[in-house]
Amino acid sequence: MKAVILVGGQGTRLRPLTLATPKPMVPLANKPFVSYVLEHLKEHGISDIVFSMGYLPEGIKAYFGDGSGMGVNLTYVVEDQPLGTAGAVKNVEEHIQDGDFLVLNGDILTDLDISGLIEHHRRKEAMGTIALTPVEDPTAYGLVRTGSESEVLGFLEKPSWDQIDTNLINAGTYVLRSEVLAMIPAGIEYSFERGVFPRLVGKGLYGYSSECYWMDIGTPEKYLQAHYDILEKSVETSVSDCLDQDFVCVQGKIDLKTGAKIVPPVIIGEGTVIEAGARVGRMAVIGPGCTISAGCVVEDSIVQENCTLEREARVRGSIIGAGASIGAGTLVDGGAIVGGNSKVGGDNILTNHIRIYPDTTVKAGTIKF
Ligand code: GTP
C-alpha cells in the first residue's frame, strides 16, 4: 500500500524553529522529526511513500534522497501553492494506484497500530477510515462522533461542554479508497476535515479508535512534551533502545569532563563537550557538537546541534535552536525559544515564552523578561 505524508505546511505555531527549517526536519531527539514517521510506516510493512510538500522542500529531499538509506522508496511532489490536506493528496493522484492508500499528517508522533487501522478499514469495506484518539480537553479540538459499528456519525468543531458526547478526535491518519480522489477538486485548496469527510458521512466513513500514544508536535509545548515522552519511554521509538536501563543515551563519542553531572533521563549528541561543574538533566536533549560550559544547568530543555552555553548559563523548560550561543550567566526559562544561530550575550533573562528570531544578536544584559 502507498502512503502519502503531508509535509507542506508552514508550521507557523512552531516558529521561530520553522522559519529556516521545515517542521518535518525539526529534530526530535536529534533526528529529523519525519524520520520517526518513516520508521513507523516501515514497521507496518509500508515502504512506498510520497512526500506531499510545499514549504521549504529542498532540505527534506537533500536529507532523505530516494529513501534507500532508511529502507523505503520515496517520491517527492512539490505544490506551487498550498492546496490544503485533501488538495495536496489530489495533487499526487498520479502516484496512487487503484485500491486503498494511506494519508498521514507529517507532524504526529504516534505508535498507532497502522496494520490494525488497515484491517479495520478492510473488514468494514469502508470508503475511508479515520484513526481516532481520545483527548483530555475535547473543547480544544474537532470531535468525531461514531456509532455502534464505528461508523462516523458527524463532526463537532471546537464544541462547548454541553455539546460534548465524545472525546475522540481525528488523529491525522487515514486509509482511503482511491475513489475518494474523485471527490476532491483539483488545483484549489481543499481539506479532508472540512471538505471530504463531512461529505462521506453515511457513505462508508468509519473511525478506528485506539489508546495509542499520540502527540501532534506542532506547538513548542507539545514539541517539548514529545521529547519528555521519548526520554521517559512513554512512547517506543528507535531511540528507546539507546536509552536502555539507565535512561542515558549518548549518540557517539562525547567529552564529559571530570566533575560534569549527567542526571537522567538525558540524550546527548556526538562530539558534545560538557565541562566540569555543568549539570545536564534531568529531561534534557543536547544536540551533537555543543559545548556546555562550567556551571551551566540544562533541564527540561532541548539544545539543538552546535550550540554553545557559556559559563553558568541556565536553560530550563526551553528550546535553543541550532548554532545559537547563550552568554555567561544568562537564564533561559519558562518556554523560551532562541532561534538558530542567535547570539545571546551574558546576563540576560529570557522567560515567559519569549521567542528570539534566528540570527539575532542580543547584547549582554539587555533583556530581563
Ligand atoms: P501551523 O501553521 O502551525 O498550523 O502548522 P501546519 O502548517 O503544519 O498546519 P497543520 O498542523 O494544520 O497541518 C497538518 C499537516 O498537514 C502538517 O503535516 C502539514 O505539513 C500538512 N499540511 C497542511 N497544509 C498543507 C498543504 O497545503 N499542503 C501540504 N502538502 N501539506 C499541508
Side-chain angles (χ1 to χ4, degrees), residues 40 44 110-115 117 131-132 171 173 208 210 212-213:
H40 185 211
H44 289 273
T110 181
D111 56 10
L112 169 74
D113 179 3
I114 293 177
S115 307
L117 168 72
L132 304 174
T173 305
Y208 175 77
S210 64
C212 61
Y213 176 89

Side-chain angles (χ1 to χ4, degrees), residues 39-55:
E39 286 166 359
H40 185 211
L41 282 168
K42 208 178 143 209
E43 266 168 39
H44 289 273
I46 291 157
S47 53
D48 261 337
I49 298 161
V50 182
F51 270 123
S52 163
M53 323 168 86
Y55 179 67

Side-chain angles (χ1 to χ4, degrees), residues 7 20 85 118 124 161 172 191 195 211 218 221 238 276 280 292 318 326:
V7 291
T85 49
I118 295 169
K124 295 290 176 186
W161 276 105
S191 107
E211 292 280 338
E221 293 73 22
S238 51
V280 170
I292 314 293
S318 295
I326 307 296

Side-chain angles (χ1 to χ4, degrees), residues 60-108:
I60 308 178
K61 281 190 198 171
Y63 186 89
F64 291 105
D66 63 4
S68 52
M70 291 196 65
V72 293
N73 175 24
L74 296 177
T75 306
Y76 300 94
V77 178
V78 183
E79 293 159 14
D80 299 331
Q81 65 189 72
L83 292 172
T85 49
V89 171
K90 181 74 176 175
N91 193 47
V92 304
E93 186 167 14
E94 63 177 299
H95 299 284
I96 298 171
Q97 294 115 354
D98 286 347
D100 296 325
F101 65 101
L102 265 168
V103 177
L104 300 98
N105 283 0
D107 56 356
I108 289 168

